[in-house]
Amino acid sequence: MFSKKKITLEYTVEKCSKCGMQRKRKFSQGDVLFAECSKCDSCDGMSFIEKVFGETLEQ
Amino acid sequence: MSLVNFTSFDFDQLFAMGDDTNPLMMLVWILPIFFFVFYGQRIQLYVTSGEIKKGISKLDGFRNESRDELINYVKNNLKPVDDPVQKIDRFIDYFTIMPVDMDPNGIVDKVRHIVRSREDYTREHVRSISPQMSDIELTKVQTLLEIASSLQMIYKIINHMYLTAKKQNNYPLILPLQMILPFIMEQSEAMKEAIPVFKKGQPVGDGIGPMVVGKMMLKNQKETVAFQTVLVKSEFEGRKLFLLKAEGPGSTVGRPADGLEKIVSENKIDAIIMVDAALKMEGEDSAAVARGFGAAIGGIGTEKFEIEAIATSKNIPIFSIVVKQSVKEAITLMTKEIADKADDVRTQVYEMIQENTTQGQSIAIIGVGNTAGVPQ
Ligand SMILES: [Zn+2]
């Protein structure tokens, strides 16, 4: 009766292998850990998927 | 001045306790006692069965939902050759008969044989739904099928216990049901919530072991050492490392014991380190990391038995690092807290190697758990 509706937001964290910059974004279908994904924003290194996780919010 | 004097209520008068000569009052007191003596159980049965009925209809919903999700997934993603509904319904009802344990000698081999043949045969049957299905898709469908058939089985058993108790008006029979129902509901809800996670191929909490070892494997030559199980040989501070995990990013736990057996048969191993998720106790913090001795691996116990047997016969110590989590966290999308622990656990693995082995020794490191979404 008093339980709030819970929603889980899915995130992917990309990490640059060169400068260590981390970027958190929404999970998109097909993301798996350690996959190469994009050029780093701040250097010429490649970023890899470091983590995929969910954060649960109460509404 | 006060209108009501709270201090001088006459309780005797209020409850007519002093008035034990009034036969009508006596009846008013005694009748309910008799009533509850004879009908108390039945009243309790009605109250409790209402609760249980709610639980059962929830379970019914879960099993239908999981079945529909599975069918939709197969229909929408896998281009089945013909209508898969009938076939899937048949798979969901598959049962497993565990071997006789009156004579426990050799029972592990029997259990392993039965469980493995079940896995092998369902894999082949699932493949026949859509022959061009990739191996990763196959593991997904197999996991979804496992969830759907578990939920089906749970519903059937709980419903059976409830209906029997009700049919026989048997209150004592309903008591154990009332006691286990909260645990069953927790597990079933977790299983239901695991469905979308496995569909999307995301890592689950149980995947923390493979996540830790998988990262240590990166940029190394991988070889398949057992069914759905990969091995990487690498080095760390003068020690040889044999890294072992199930093959990601499919949803499988692989066969770490077979892998270990192969490693041990070809190399001299001086220590085994296992990284796994472990069930936390109520009140313990989620994602807490703990170290210990012995084989950290769940499941029905055949893999654990085999790993222990290998370690014992070769006199290899087994160390373990576990990440604590609830049932739900273990099979649903990995939480941030657990994912954040990966680096810490990896550091602890290296620490363990330094503390317990010397240069020139060889260590097998096993990342135990489901590798959905966790390649290497
Ligand atoms: Zn960078």
Side-chain angles (χ1 to χ4, degrees):
Chain A
M1 203 193 296
F2 301 106
S3 67
K4 293 168 182 162
K5 206 183 160 208
K6 284 182 181 169
I7 48 162
T8 302
L9 300 170
E10 301 159 345
Y11 292 109
T12 298
V13 173
E14 294 175 10
K15 188 179 179 184
C16 172
S17 52
K18 209 166 169 189
C19 69
M21 260 274 283
Q22 293 203 20
R23 195 167 73 89
K24 184 172 155 185
R25 61 168 170 83
K26 283 257 146 69
F27 171 87
S28 68
Q29 187 68 42
D31 282 353
V32 293
L33 292 183
F34 318 134
E36 199 174 272
C37 42
S38 58
K39 264 259 157 61
C40 172
D41 296 331
S42 47
C43 74
D44 61 342
M46 266 319 242
S47 46
F48 292 84
I49 294 179
E50 171 85 356
K51 293 167 197 162
V52 172
F53 59 77
E55 278 180 305
T56 305
L57 295 178
E58 277 186 4
Q59 271 191 327
Chain B
M1 190 198 83
S2 68
L3 292 172
V4 184
N5 185 354
F6 288 102
T7 53
S8 66
F9 268 127
D10 185 349
F11 280 94
D12 279 353
Q13 207 185 4
L14 189 67
F15 292 103
M17 277 189 222
D19 195 6
D20 51 6
T21 49
N22 184 346
L24 194 74
M25 267 340 271
M26 258 167 80
L27 211 62
V28 166
W29 279 104
I30 288 167
L31 264 185
I33 294 173
F34 275 99
F35 181 73
F36 281 113
V37 164
F38 292 114
Y39 294 100
Q41 248 190 11
R42 192 160 296 193
I43 294 168
Q44 228 166 340
L45 181 70
Y46 283 128
V47 174
T48 318
S49 64
E51 267 167 51
I52 295 172
K53 229 156 72 186
K54 255 187 247 164
I56 290 176
S57 70
K58 240 176 158 178
L59 288 175
D60 191 25
F62 290 168
R63 72 170 178 148
N64 289 326
E65 213 173 300
S66 61
R67 173 185 170 271
D68 296 346
E69 293 263 0
L70 172 60
I71 290 172
N72 288 339
Y73 186 81
V74 170
K75 275 187 174 167
N76 298 336
N77 298 48
L78 302 172
K79 304 184 202 76
V81 258
D82 41 37
D83 192 37
V85 176
Q86 227 186 2
K87 226 172 197 174
I88 287 174
D89 276 338
R90 222 181 314 136
F91 294 154
I92 289 176
D93 271 328
Y94 266 22
F95 54 82
T96 310
I97 300 170
M98 282 298 163
V100 169
D101 54 5
M102 272 190 290
D103 180 8
N105 181 29
I107 192 156
V108 177
D109 286 335
K110 289 189 198 167
V111 172
R112 182 170 45 227
H113 168 69
I114 286 172
V115 172
R116 286 215 177 148
S117 32
R118 178 193 164 111
E119 278 173 15
D120 293 343
Y121 281 87
T122 42
R123 187 177 309 108
E124 287 321 307
H125 287 297
V126 169
R127 197 191 292 280
S128 72
I129 294 176
S130 165
Q132 73 274 45
M133 190 186 323
S134 73
D135 283 349
I136 290 174
E137 285 296 333
L138 189 67
T139 63
K140 273 189 200 175
V141 175
Q142 236 188 326
T143 306
L144 293 176
L145 186 63
E146 211 62 58
I147 292 175
S149 79
S150 304
L151 286 172
Q152 167 94 333
M153 187 58 89
I154 290 171
Y155 166 79
K156 278 189 179 176
I157 293 173
I158 299 294
N159 196 38
H160 163 78
M161 286 168 78
Y162 169 72
L163 289 179
T164 313
K166 212 180 143 198
K167 189 167 113 190
Q168 303 176 347
N169 258 331
N170 190 340
Y171 183 67
L173 201 60
I174 225 165
L175 272 176
L177 187 56
Q178 188 189 11
M179 284 191 281
I180 57 164
L181 199 64
F183 298 97
I184 299 275
M185 293 312 291
E186 195 186 345
Q187 288 232 340
S188 311
E189 262 162 52
M191 276 196 247
K192 191 206 74 173
E193 282 177 42
I195 296 169
V197 181
F198 283 111
K199 266 177 151 177
K200 290 180 206 158
Q202 293 168 328
V204 294
D206 186 40
I208 185 74
M211 181 173 168
V212 169
V213 176
K215 194 164 185 192
M216 294 165 77
M217 286 179 164
L218 290 176
K219 295 177 193 136
N220 283 297
Q221 181 75 35
K222 283 123 203 158
E223 55 179 294
T224 301
V225 70
F227 183 68
Q228 294 180 335
T229 308
V230 287
L231 168 70
V232 158
K233 292 174 190 153
S234 81
E235 283 196 9
F236 171 72
E237 293 191 354
R239 294 136 170 109
K240 256 183 131 174
L241 301 187
F242 293 83
L243 305 167
L244 194 68
K245 88 183 255 296
E247 189 173 10
S251 164
T252 173
V253 290
R255 291 182 182 172
D258 289 4
L260 182 67
E261 187 163 26
K262 181 106 186 291
I263 297 170
V264 170
S265 68
E266 291 165 3
N267 308 274
K268 189 190 171 293
I269 298 295
D270 301 288
I272 298 169
I273 297 177
M274 301 182 74
V275 189
D276 193 8
L279 274 195
K280 76 179 179 93
M281 280 184 243
E282 214 51 63
E284 260 188 318
D285 282 334
S286 208
V289 180
R291 299 191 199 186
F293 302 93
I297 181 167
I300 45 168
T302 52
E303 295 280 330
K304 187 170 195 286
F305 178 91
E306 207 179 331
I307 291 173
E308 287 164 351
I310 296 166
T312 307
S313 70
K314 303 267 177 184
N315 199 17
I316 311 169
I318 309 179
F319 304 96
S320 287
I321 300 184
V322 296
V323 180
K324 303 283 183 82
Q325 43 199 276
S326 68
V327 185
K328 187 179 160 191
E329 285 165 337
I331 59 172
T332 54
L333 179 57
M334 188 180 278
T335 62
K336 184 173 189 300
E337 291 73 34
I338 296 171
D340 285 346
K341 280 290 159 67
D343 287 327
D344 177 35
V345 175
R346 199 171 301 114
T347 317
Q348 293 205 36
V349 170
Y350 286 124
E351 260 175 43
M352 250 181 169
I353 297 172
Q354 288 165 328
E355 285 166 11
N356 299 298
T357 63
T358 54
Q359 292 204 350
Q361 290 193 316
S362 300
I363 304 111
I365 299 166
I366 312 176
V368 181
N370 191 301
T371 48
V374 189
Q376 55 280 322

